[in-house]
Structures are given as C-alpha cells and as structure tokens.
C-alpha cells in the first residue's frame, strides 16, 4: 500500500510489478527544470548572447555534491548560448530571471557524455544543478533609466559640467546593497559629465530635476568592469542606483531672482550703502528649511552692497522697494561655498531665500516732509520755542501701526527746539501752519535709533507720521524763559521784597512773578512747568546759594554778560 518496491511472494500477478521495480531508470531525453523560487517581478529574462553571473551547486542524483560556486566564494560568470557551458546548462539558463532559483536535471548527452570529466564526473552521468541567477546583461546594453518620481515643476535639468548633490542607494542587480550615501548622512557631491563619476552615473544623472527620483541601471562596462571595485562590487556586475537629486548648480551661475511681488507705488529702490530691514525664510534647493527671521520675531537688519552679508544676498537686495517680496536663489560660490556652515547648510549648497523688504534708509537721509493739506490762510508759522499742539498717527514703513493721539482723545503738546521729541519730528513740525497736515518719513538716526522702543518700535526702524497742527502758542525769544510785556519798574527789587527785610525769599519771588503773569505784564515760556521755571530763575539770582536774594545779587538779564534763563 505504500507504493514502494519491496520483495514479494512471486505470484503470477506480481511478476509484472517486480519486473518494473528492478528495471533500469528511463534515460532523459532533455533537461528538466524545476523552478524552486520565482521572483515577483522579472524585468529581464536571460536570452542567448547575454552575460550572466550565477551561483550553483552541482550534484549527482544521489545528492552527492561534486562542485559548488559557493565553496569558491564567487559567482560563475559566462556568456549564454556561446558554447562556453555544457549544452544542458546553456539551455537551462535561457529564460531565467534574476533571483530565480531552479533545480536543473541534465542528461549525460547534454553534459559530459560517455567521456565524463576526469575523476570528478563519471561517464554517462546525469547531473543535477541548484542554480541561483544573480545578474544578467548584454554587451549591447546602455544605461537604463526609470524615473519613478518627478516634481511638479522643473525649471532646470542637469547638464554636462553642472555640479550636483544627491543621495543614493547602490545595489547589485539581485538587490544586494553595496553602498549608500544615506548611511553616511551626507550627499554625494560632484560634477557631472566630465569624468568624475563612473560612465553610467555620468550618463544617468543627465536631465534630472531637483527632487526627481530615478533608478539608474548600468552594465559593468559602464560601472566597475571586469575587476569590480576590489571590495563590495564583484567583477562583471551590473549596478543599480536609486538616486534622489537634491541640488544643482553650475560654476558659471549668478543669482536668480523670481516670484517678485512689487508694490504699486515704489518711489525709491535700494542702492549700495543703504541700510535694509527684511524678513526671510531660508531653505535648500530641495525645500529643506534651515533658517527664518520670522521664527526669531525680528527682521534681519544690515547694510547692503558693502560686504556685510553673503555676496549673493548683497546683490539680491539691490534695487528692491519697501514692501517688495522676491525669491533669491544663490549658488554656493556666492553663498557659503564648499564648506557650508556645519549642521544647517551643507557644503556646495544652493540657497533659496524668500525675502520681504520691511524698510530701508540711508545714513545720509533727512526727514522727508510731504504737505498733504495746507490751509488757505496762514498768519504764523511754527518756529523754535513755540508751544505746539498736534495730532499724529505713527506707523512703520510696512504700515504696521505704532501709536496715535486719537486713541487718547487729546493732542500731543511740545515746545519746539526743546528736545521733547525725536529730531525728525522737530524738523517736521517747523514752519507749519495751524490746520496744516503733513506726512513725515523719518530715518532711524533721527527717530528711535538702533535700539528702538521696547515692544513698540523695532531697532533701526524708519518711522512714518501723519501729523496735523491743531494749535500753537508763540514762544519766547531764544534764551529767555520769562519776558516783560511792559517797561520794567525801576523798583523791581523793592516790589518783590514784600516784608522789606532787604532780601527776597523764594515765596516772595514766586508770588511776584506769578502775579505779573496773571496781570499780563509778563510771560513765562509756554509748554513748561511755570514753577520749575521760576525756581530756576530764583536759583540764577541767588548768586551765593544761601536761599535768598539780596539787592546786590539781583540783576536783569539785559545787564548780564553771560546768558541765563532769568529775568
């Protein structure tokens, strides 16, 4: 019942079975192939004339091994169909795929026949071969390219003499990894098409776009040839590179300016020597982010055209308007060169900056005054010493609001020339009529300087003020804090000395001056604390500083040889 040939009682009915079990094996007419492993994909089956690399174990039918490529530690490499193999193996290899494994049975007439092979293979031997195909190529093969991912936009493709940065995985045709840039965590950087690479890679990289991924397959004649690389790549091996292109430039490149958004009104563009405040996002050509001024919540502030920034940025910031946005692409020789900056910017990297110009000025700039409304009648114009009351709206050059008197429901009041506001505002308020409106653009050196105002005005910011002069009180002549409207009485000291003790106390002095003001016989400088002015006047008269004024100390300003803010 087991189906095996075992001794039996020789009855007539079993004679046929016994004869069959003891008959010699039926001779093979042709090879028999049993596929023990078939890969899911077969890009290329072996054809006559192809060159193959394969491993094998040669056995007799009883399982005894007579030869093995594994024992020698190298594949068997040969052309197929050119009588370099026994006829049965020549036939068996045709149609095989890389990574296919087959058990091949070869009759003696298609192997070593009646002569055998020395002491190794007896005459008329059936041979069994366990074959694993690892590689196939043809002398007519060139580079094969399969682009399996292409970016949506491609403004430029790799050409001969371009410099590229790319990542790759390098494998043999059977998938064995021999090298990878990813494991070294750095790109492979090289010129293309000038012999710095193996011929197949030189060809395979041409026409690639940044961001493209492609499989580049090359025969050994375009790889490492008959000898391999002496280490991980065997001789006569096809090579497969899975490549992603990250960067591309040419040594002849200059900067490229694209994606420009220019404001409708642009009265002035940057020139060399200007000081610029701008925001930027910095990335590599493949989109990898490396820096941003936005993340620091402050602009990048610098002079342009004078070597304070990388040459490409120095050039790219010339000729821009306030509010303009542009993308500046900078090749490495105009950026950080072959060395890069360490962890963030690799060597030989093309840089892409998306910039937004916030404001700019020149150290020679003065306050820019534009009259937006002039009243029909103007009897007096503001001058130094006048007490002026005005409204303002303050903003930065990009329109960001800073402050407004309208928010407080009252005017801002100052004495012109008394350093109570920034110099640019002093300039803008001069020679102005009540009811007049002006638009002021004030450079930072006439506004809030390099430091700005904490949480309100950035450092080195150009300020924009829209002002309206609401009221004005004429000031006193320069150098005076109090003047008489009428002739000064010759008994001035005695009038002040109410208690007639021949000295004027501070209270007597204050009461007297305030009375003159109230009686409109005298005027104090407008815009200041009257009592502080009077205290200052008293101190100037109190020559010896004893807290009282004697008649000998008392003098009018007209009698002074040295100017004082006093009587």
């Amino acid at each position: 019942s087991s189906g095996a040939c075992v001794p039996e009682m020789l009855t007539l009915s079993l004679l046929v079975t016994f004869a069959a079990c003891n008959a010699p094996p039926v001779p093979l007419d042709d090879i028999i192939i049993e596929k023990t492993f078939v890969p899911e994909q077969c890009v290329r089956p072996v054809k006559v004339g192809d060159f193959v690399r394969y491993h094998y174990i040669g056995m007799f039918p009883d399982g005894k091994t007579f030869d093995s490529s594994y024992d020698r530690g190298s594949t068997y490499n040969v052309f197929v169909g050119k009588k370099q193999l026994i006829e049965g193996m020549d036939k068996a290899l045709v149609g095989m795929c890389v990574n296919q494994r087959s058990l091949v049975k070869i009759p003696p007439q298609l192997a070593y026949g009646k002569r055998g092979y020395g002491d190794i293979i007896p005459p008329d031997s059936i041979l069994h071969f366990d074959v694993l195909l690892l590689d196939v190529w043809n002398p007519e093969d060139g580079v094969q390219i399969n682009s399996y991912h292409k970016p949506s936009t491609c403004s430029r493709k790799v050409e001969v003499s371009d410099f590229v940065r790319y990542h790759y995985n390098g494998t043999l045709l059977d998938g064995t990894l021999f090298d990878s840039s990813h494991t070294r965590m750095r790109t492979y950087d090289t010129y293309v098409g000038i012999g710095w690479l193996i011929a197949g890679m030189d060809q395979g990289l041409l026409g690639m776009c940044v961001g493209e991924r492609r499989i580049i397959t090359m025969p050994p004649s375009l790889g490492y040839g008959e000898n391999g690389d002496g280490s991980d790549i065997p001789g006569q091996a096809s090579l497969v590179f899975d490549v992603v292109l990250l960067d591309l430039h040419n040594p002849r490149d200059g900067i490229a300016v694209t994606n420009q958004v220019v404001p409708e009104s642009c009265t002035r563009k940057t020139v060399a020597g200007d000081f610029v405040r701008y925001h930027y996002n910095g990335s590599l050509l493949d989109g990898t982010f490396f820096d941003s001024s936005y993340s620091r919540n402050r602009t990048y502030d610098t002079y342009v055209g004078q070597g304070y920034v990388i040459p490409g940025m120095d050039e790219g910031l010339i000729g821009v308007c306030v509010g303009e946005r542009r993308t500046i692409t900078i090749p490495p020789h105009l950026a950080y060169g072959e060395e890069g900056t360490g962890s963030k910017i690799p060597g030989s990297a093309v840089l892409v900056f998306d910039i937004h110009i916030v404001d700019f000025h020149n150290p020679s700039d003065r306050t820019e005054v534009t009259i937006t409304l002039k009243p029909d009648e103007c009897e007096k114009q503001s001058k130094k010493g006048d007490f002026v009351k005005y409204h303002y709206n303050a903003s930065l050059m990009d329109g960001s609001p800073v402050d407004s008197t309208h928010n407080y429901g009252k005017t801002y009041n100052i004495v012109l020339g008394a350093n109570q506001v920034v110099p640019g505002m002093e300039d803008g308020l001069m020679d102005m009529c009540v009811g007049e409106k002006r638009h002021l653009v004030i450079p930072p050196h006439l506004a809030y300087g390099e430091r700005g105002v904490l949480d309100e005005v950035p450092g080195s910011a150009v300020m924009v003020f829209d002002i309206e002069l609401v009221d004005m009180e004429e000031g006193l002549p320069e150098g005076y804090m109090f003047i008489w409207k009428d002739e000064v009485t010759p008994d001035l000291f005695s009038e002040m000395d109410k208690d007639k003790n021949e000295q004027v106390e501070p209270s007597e002095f204050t009461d007297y001056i305030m009375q003159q003001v109230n009686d409109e016989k005298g005027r104090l400088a407008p815009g200041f604390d009257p009592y502080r002015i009077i205290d200052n006047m008293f101190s100037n008269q109190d020559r010896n500083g004893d807290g009282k004024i004697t008649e000998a100390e008392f003098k009018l300003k007209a009698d002074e040889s040295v100017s004082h803010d006093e009587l």
Side-chain angles (χ1 to χ4, degrees):
S1 61
S2 66
C5 290
V6 296
E8 299 274 0
M9 185 182 297
L10 296 180
T11 63
L12 182 60
S13 62
L14 292 174
L15 285 176
V16 176
T17 302
F18 181 76
C21 288
N22 287 277
V26 178
L28 294 174
D29 293 330
D30 202 350
I31 63 173
I32 297 176
I33 299 174
E34 179 186 347
K35 297 178 181 180
T36 57
F37 178 79
V38 178
E40 292 183 5
Q41 292 184 337
C42 182
V43 177
R44 172 179 186 168
V46 176
K47 296 179 180 179
V48 172
D50 284 345
F51 190 91
V52 296
R53 294 190 311 109
Y54 64 94
H55 269 306
Y56 72 89
I57 300 173
M59 301 168 289
F60 295 114
D62 63 359
K64 181 180 178 181
T65 299
F66 64 81
D67 191 15
S68 172
S69 62
Y70 296 99
D71 293 342
R72 292 192 296 275
S74 65
T75 55
Y76 196 80
N77 308 334
V78 69
F79 282 99
V80 176
K82 294 190 176 183
K83 298 184 179 181
Q84 296 179 0
L85 294 162
I86 59 175
E87 187 177 350
M89 186 61 78
D90 247 352
K91 294 179 64 176
L93 289 169
V94 173
M96 283 193 75
C97 302
V98 171
N99 286 326
Q100 180 178 329
R101 189 168 184 174
S102 296
L103 181 61
V104 183
K105 299 177 182 179
I106 304 177
Q109 68 271 22
L110 298 179
Y112 294 98
K114 296 183 179 298
R115 298 179 61 180
Y117 188 79
D119 297 334
I120 300 174
I121 299 175
D124 295 319
S125 294
I126 296 175
L127 304 181
H128 292 188
F129 289 91
D130 187 352
V131 179
L132 175 62
L133 187 67
L134 299 181
D135 199 348
V136 56
W137 54 270
N138 192 282
E140 301 298 322
D141 287 348
V143 172
Q144 299 173 42
I145 294 173
N146 174 27
S147 293
Y148 63 93
H149 173 75
K150 290 186 177 182
S152 57
T153 59
C154 179
S155 58
R156 176 175 182 175
K157 297 180 179 181
V158 176
E159 298 178 0
V160 171
S161 81
D162 282 344
F163 191 90
V164 297
R165 295 192 311 112
Y166 62 94
H167 269 305
Y168 70 90
N169 287 320
T171 63
L172 305 180
L173 205 60
D174 67 339
T176 301
L177 182 72
F178 63 79
D179 192 17
S180 174
S181 63
H182 297 282
T183 60
R184 294 191 295 275
M185 297 183 68
R186 61 170 297 175
T187 54
Y188 195 84
D189 309 338
T190 185
Y191 288 96
V192 177
I194 61 174
W196 285 33
L197 293 162
I198 55 175
M201 188 61 81
D202 249 353
Q203 295 178 31
L205 291 170
L206 292 176
M208 282 193 81
C209 305
V210 171
E212 182 176 344
R213 296 174 181 268
R214 61 170 53 171
I215 303 293
I216 302 171
T217 305
M218 63 194 71
S221 59
L222 299 176
Y224 289 91
E226 295 182 6
N227 299 321
D229 70 345
S231 176
D232 298 311
I233 301 175
Q236 300 288 28
S238 300
L239 304 181
V240 180
F241 291 90
D242 189 343
V243 177
V244 55
L245 187 65
L246 300 184
D247 200 342
L248 159 67
H249 76 275
N250 193 284
R252 299 187 299 272
D253 288 348
I255 68 167
V257 176
T258 56
N259 301 328
Q260 299 182 66
V261 178
V262 182
E264 292 183 2
S265 61
C266 178
T267 57
R268 174 177 173 180
K269 296 183 177 182
T270 53
V271 297
D274 282 344
F275 191 87
V276 180
R277 295 196 313 117
Y278 63 96
H279 271 304
Y280 70 87
N281 285 319
S283 62
L284 305 182
L285 204 57
D286 66 341
T288 302
F289 170 85
F290 65 79
D291 192 19
S292 174
S293 62
Y294 296 99
S295 63
R296 293 188 293 274
N297 199 31
R298 60 168 297 175
T299 55
Y300 193 85
D301 308 337
T302 185
Y303 288 96
V304 295
Q306 297 187 338
Y308 285 86
V309 289
I310 56 175
M313 188 61 81
D314 237 0
E315 182 181 348
L317 290 171
I318 297 295
V320 291
C321 308
V322 170
E324 183 172 341
R325 297 175 184 268
R326 60 169 49 177
T327 298
I328 306 172
T329 303
I330 305 176
H333 52 274
L334 297 177
Y336 294 98
E338 296 181 6
E339 300 299 322
T341 62
S343 60
K344 289 189 176 182
I345 300 177
S348 299
V350 176
L351 305 183
V352 180
F353 290 92
D354 289 307
I355 66 166
H356 176 209
I357 304 299
V358 175
D359 75 20
F360 68 87
H361 70 279
N362 194 280
S364 63
D365 286 348
R366 305 301 303 172
T367 300
E368 180 183 319
V369 179
T370 302
I371 298 173
T372 58
L373 177 65
K374 189 83 169 181
D376 295 334
E377 295 183 4
C378 181
E379 296 181 359
K380 294 182 179 179
Q381 291 182 320
S382 57
K383 63 182 185 306
K384 187 176 181 180
D386 287 351
F387 182 57
V388 296
K389 299 179 181 182
Y390 63 97
H391 274 302
Y392 69 81
N393 289 316
S395 63
L396 304 180
M397 283 287 279
D398 64 353
S400 299
V402 174
D403 194 17
S404 174
T405 54
H406 298 285
N407 294 337
Y408 312 114
K410 60 181 181 180
T411 57
Y412 198 80
N413 309 327
I414 65 160
V415 176
L416 281 175
N419 298 321
Q420 294 176 349
V421 288
V422 296
M425 183 61 80
E426 294 263 23
D427 297 338
L429 286 166
M430 289 291 184
D431 303 317
M432 199 171 180
C433 306
V434 171
E436 185 176 336
K437 295 182 179 181
R438 291 181 175 182
H439 180 79
L440 310 180
V441 180
I442 305 177
H445 51 274
L446 297 176
Y448 299 101
E450 295 181 8
R451 294 187 176 184
V453 178
L454 184 64
D455 297 328
E456 293 186 30
V457 179
S460 300
V462 177
M463 294 296 298
V464 178
F465 288 90
D466 287 298
I467 62 174
E468 178 186 5
L469 187 60
V470 175
D471 197 2
M472 174 174 60
E473 184 179 345
E474 189 175 3
L476 301 187
E478 187 173 355
Y480 286 83
M481 297 300 287
F482 175 83
I483 60 171
W484 298 96
K485 288 188 174 182
D486 299 319
E487 291 293 326
V488 182
T489 176
D491 299 325
L492 183 58
F493 182 81
S494 61
E495 288 184 11
M496 285 186 182
D497 184 16
K498 291 290 185 182
D499 58 7
K500 305 305 178 184
N501 62 353
E502 297 185 353
Q503 58 187 20
V504 176
E505 307 288 339
S507 59
E508 292 176 313
F509 188 86
T510 300
D511 290 343
Y512 184 81
I513 296 298
M514 290 303 295
Q515 186 62 50
Q516 306 309 304
V517 172
N518 292 334
D519 292 343
E520 296 187 354
K521 295 181 179 179
R523 283 187 65 213
L524 289 167
F528 297 99
D529 182 349
Y531 293 100
R532 291 191 63 180
I533 295 177
I534 295 170
D535 286 346
N536 184 57
M537 293 168 62
F538 182 88
S539 296
N540 287 338
Q541 294 294 325
D542 182 12
R543 313 290 171 166
N544 59 10
D546 62 355
K548 52 184 178 292
I549 302 172
T550 63
E551 189 170 8
E553 293 175 304
F554 191 78
K555 291 183 180 179
L556 294 175
K557 186 175 182 66
D559 300 326
E560 294 279 359
S561 58
V562 180
S563 176
H564 291 289
D565 291 333
E566 54 184 39
L567 295 176

